[in-house]
Amino acid sequence: MDFFIEILNQLKGEYVDIFLEERLVSQIQIEEDKVQKGSSIFEKGLGIRVIKDGKIFYAFTNDLSKKGIDEIIFSLKNYNSSESVINLKKLSPLKMDRQFFIKNNPNYVDLRDKIKIL
Protein backbone atom coordinates (compact mmCIF):
# COMPACT_ATOMS: atom_id res chain seq x y z
CA MET A 1 0.00 0.00 0.00
CA ASP A 2 2.86 2.39 0.80
CA PHE A 3 4.17 1.80 -2.71
CA PHE A 4 0.95 3.13 -4.28
CA ILE A 5 0.81 6.10 -1.91
CA GLU A 6 4.37 6.94 -2.97
CA ILE A 7 3.27 6.95 -6.62
CA LEU A 8 0.27 9.18 -5.83
CA ASN A 9 2.50 11.64 -3.95
CA GLN A 10 4.87 11.90 -6.91
CA LEU A 11 2.15 12.49 -9.50
CA LYS A 12 0.32 15.68 -8.65
CA GLY A 13 -2.97 15.89 -10.48
CA GLU A 14 -6.68 16.31 -10.02
CA TYR A 15 -7.10 12.56 -10.50
CA VAL A 16 -4.75 9.56 -10.59
CA ASP A 17 -5.63 5.94 -11.45
CA ILE A 18 -3.23 3.08 -10.88
CA PHE A 19 -4.09 -0.14 -12.73
CA LEU A 20 -2.38 -3.36 -11.75
CA GLU A 21 -3.60 -5.96 -14.21
CA GLU A 22 -3.19 -9.68 -14.64
CA ARG A 23 -5.22 -11.47 -17.25
CA LEU A 24 -5.35 -14.51 -19.42
CA VAL A 25 -6.40 -13.81 -23.01
CA SER A 26 -7.67 -16.67 -25.16
CA GLN A 27 -7.76 -16.35 -28.94
CA ILE A 28 -9.43 -18.70 -31.40
CA GLN A 29 -8.87 -18.43 -35.16
CA ILE A 30 -11.70 -19.75 -37.34
CA GLU A 31 -11.59 -20.00 -41.13
CA GLU A 32 -14.34 -21.48 -43.29
CA ASP A 33 -16.27 -22.58 -40.19
CA LYS A 34 -13.31 -24.60 -38.90
CA VAL A 35 -11.14 -23.86 -35.90
CA GLN A 36 -7.61 -23.35 -37.24
CA LYS A 37 -5.78 -22.65 -34.01
CA GLY A 38 -6.21 -21.48 -30.46
CA SER A 39 -3.86 -19.87 -28.00
CA SER A 40 -3.80 -18.37 -24.54
CA ILE A 41 -1.56 -15.50 -23.48
CA PHE A 42 -0.89 -14.38 -19.92
CA GLU A 43 -0.46 -10.61 -19.58
CA LYS A 44 0.65 -8.65 -16.54
CA GLY A 45 1.43 -4.97 -16.16
CA LEU A 46 0.91 -1.62 -14.46
CA GLY A 47 -0.78 1.42 -15.95
CA ILE A 48 -1.08 4.92 -14.52
CA ARG A 49 -3.49 7.59 -15.73
CA VAL A 50 -3.20 11.18 -14.55
CA ILE A 51 -5.65 14.02 -15.19
CA LYS A 52 -3.98 17.38 -14.72
CA ASP A 53 -5.15 20.81 -15.89
CA GLY A 54 -7.89 19.18 -18.00
CA LYS A 55 -5.42 16.92 -19.84
CA ILE A 56 -5.10 13.13 -19.70
CA PHE A 57 -1.70 11.45 -19.43
CA TYR A 58 -1.29 7.66 -19.50
CA ALA A 59 1.67 5.31 -19.29
CA PHE A 60 1.90 1.52 -19.10
CA THR A 61 4.67 -0.99 -18.45
CA ASN A 62 4.93 -4.74 -18.22
CA ASP A 63 8.26 -4.31 -16.43
CA LEU A 64 7.12 -4.44 -12.80
CA SER A 65 10.59 -3.87 -11.38
CA LYS A 66 11.22 -0.63 -9.45
CA LYS A 67 13.21 0.64 -12.45
CA GLY A 68 10.37 -0.08 -14.91
CA ILE A 69 7.77 1.64 -12.73
CA ASP A 70 10.08 4.59 -12.01
CA GLU A 71 10.46 5.08 -15.79
CA ILE A 72 6.72 5.50 -16.37
CA ILE A 73 6.42 7.79 -13.34
CA PHE A 74 9.27 9.89 -14.76
CA SER A 75 7.59 10.05 -18.18
CA LEU A 76 4.30 11.16 -16.62
CA LYS A 77 5.96 13.81 -14.46
CA ASN A 78 7.82 15.25 -17.45
CA TYR A 79 5.10 15.11 -20.09
CA ASN A 80 4.05 18.69 -20.85
CA SER A 81 1.48 18.41 -23.62
CA SER A 82 -1.48 16.31 -24.58
CA GLU A 83 -3.94 16.35 -27.44
CA SER A 84 -6.84 15.34 -25.18
CA VAL A 85 -8.46 18.18 -23.24
CA ILE A 86 -11.48 17.15 -21.22
CA ASN A 87 -14.13 18.77 -19.08
CA LEU A 88 -14.79 16.82 -15.92
CA LYS A 89 -18.41 16.44 -14.91
CA LYS A 90 -20.17 14.50 -12.21
CA LEU A 91 -21.82 11.30 -13.39
CA SER A 92 -24.68 9.53 -11.69
CA PRO A 93 -24.52 5.76 -11.20
CA LEU A 94 -26.01 3.60 -13.92
CA LYS A 95 -29.06 1.61 -12.81
CA MET A 96 -29.79 -1.65 -14.58
CA ASP A 97 -33.14 -3.38 -14.65
CA ARG A 98 -31.49 -6.84 -14.74
CA GLN A 99 -28.66 -8.56 -12.99
CA PHE A 100 -26.20 -10.70 -14.86
CA PHE A 101 -24.28 -13.48 -13.19
CA ILE A 102 -21.18 -15.20 -14.50
CA LYS A 103 -21.49 -18.90 -13.65
CA ASN A 104 -17.93 -19.89 -14.58
CA ASN A 105 -14.87 -17.66 -14.54
CA PRO A 106 -13.75 -17.68 -18.22
CA ASN A 107 -10.11 -17.76 -17.11
CA TYR A 108 -10.66 -21.27 -15.74
CA VAL A 109 -12.62 -22.73 -18.66
CA ASP A 110 -10.55 -25.03 -20.84
CA LEU A 111 -9.90 -23.68 -24.35
CA ARG A 112 -11.41 -26.85 -25.89
CA ASP A 113 -14.67 -26.17 -24.04
CA LYS A 114 -14.71 -22.60 -25.38
CA ILE A 115 -14.25 -23.90 -28.91
CA LYS A 116 -17.23 -26.25 -28.50
CA ILE A 117 -19.46 -23.22 -27.85
CA LEU A 118 -18.60 -21.80 -31.27
Side-chain angles (χ1 to χ4, degrees):
M1 189 64 143
D2 292 338
F3 174 72
F4 295 109
I5 292 172
E6 178 186 329
I7 292 173
L8 293 172
N9 287 333
Q10 290 185 54
L11 298 171
K12 306 287 187 221
E14 289 90 40
Y15 185 83
V16 178
D17 270 339
I18 302 171
F19 302 89
L20 186 56
E21 183 175 45
E22 263 185 19
R23 65 184 179 158
L24 181 65
V25 178
S26 297
Q27 300 173 346
I28 301 170
Q29 181 181 345
I30 299 174
E31 292 178 14
E32 298 178 6
D33 294 327
K34 292 184 182 177
V35 175
Q36 298 298 318
K37 64 180 174 179
S39 64
S40 294
I41 301 166
F42 180 74
E43 298 177 337
K44 187 174 185 178
L46 180 102
I48 303 174
R49 176 176 53 191
V50 178
I51 299 175
K52 184 175 182 178
D53 300 326
K55 296 178 182 177
I56 300 173
F57 304 92
Y58 181 79
F60 177 85
T61 184
N62 59 3
D63 178 358
L64 297 178
S65 69
K66 179 157 177 35
K67 180 183 179 216
I69 295 169
D70 285 344
E71 286 176 1
I72 66 170
I73 291 171
F74 179 81
S75 69
L76 287 168
K77 285 168 58 174
N78 294 296
Y79 201 79
N80 294 320
S81 65
S82 173
E83 294 180 13
S84 300
V85 177
I86 61 165
N87 292 315
L88 300 176
K89 65 178 182 178
K90 206 169 220 176
L91 299 175
S92 57
L94 177 65
K95 294 188 180 188
M96 297 183 66
D97 58 350
R98 292 185 190 166
Q99 284 189 316
F100 296 93
F101 299 98
I102 298 174
K103 293 180 182 177
N104 298 317
N105 183 333
N107 291 332
Y108 302 113
V109 175
D110 187 83
L111 187 57
R112 289 175 288 245
D113 293 332
K114 292 178 182 178
I115 291 171
K116 287 177 190 174
I117 295 170
L118 302 172

